[in-house]
Amino acid sequence: MPYALYFDDRQISGPFVEKSQAWADATTHGPVKVIPSLDEDPPRRILDLNYSIRSTADAVSIMRSPHAAASLNSALAKS
């Protein structure tokens, strides 16, 4: 199942095969804070407000419908 970085509901990274790959990319290029702790190894990673890493499966299923895809493209063009 592919994963990507999202800001609000907009996908802002390419899809990654594994969730860990999406986290690695977000840590390198994106809004990730690393919280060091003596109790946790590896350190905790936290995304900035309004960012999330989640499955792209929902977006893929939406895009399979031509009417839904046109509606989504229209909404994205307006924002």
Side-chain angles (χ1 to χ4, degrees):
M1 175 179 310
Y3 293 90
L5 178 66
Y6 286 79
F7 179 75
D8 289 330
D9 287 327
R10 183 178 292 192
Q11 183 177 333
I12 61 171
S13 77
F16 295 91
V17 175
E18 296 181 12
K19 195 173 194 176
S20 62
Q21 293 171 316
W23 269 104
D25 184 67
T27 300
T28 302
H29 300 106
V32 176
K33 291 184 174 75
V34 177
I35 311 294
S37 170
L38 296 176
D39 298 332
E40 296 180 24
D41 187 34
R44 183 181 303 199
R45 296 173 295 174
I46 300 173
L47 290 166
D48 287 342
L49 190 61
N50 297 330
Y51 287 89
S52 62
I53 291 178
R54 59 182 190 237
S55 168
T56 61
D58 293 335
V60 170
S61 64
I62 289 171
M63 296 309 286
R64 288 187 181 144
S65 163
H67 300 294
S71 176
L72 179 60
N73 288 336
S74 175
L76 290 175
K78 292 177 185 176
S79 55

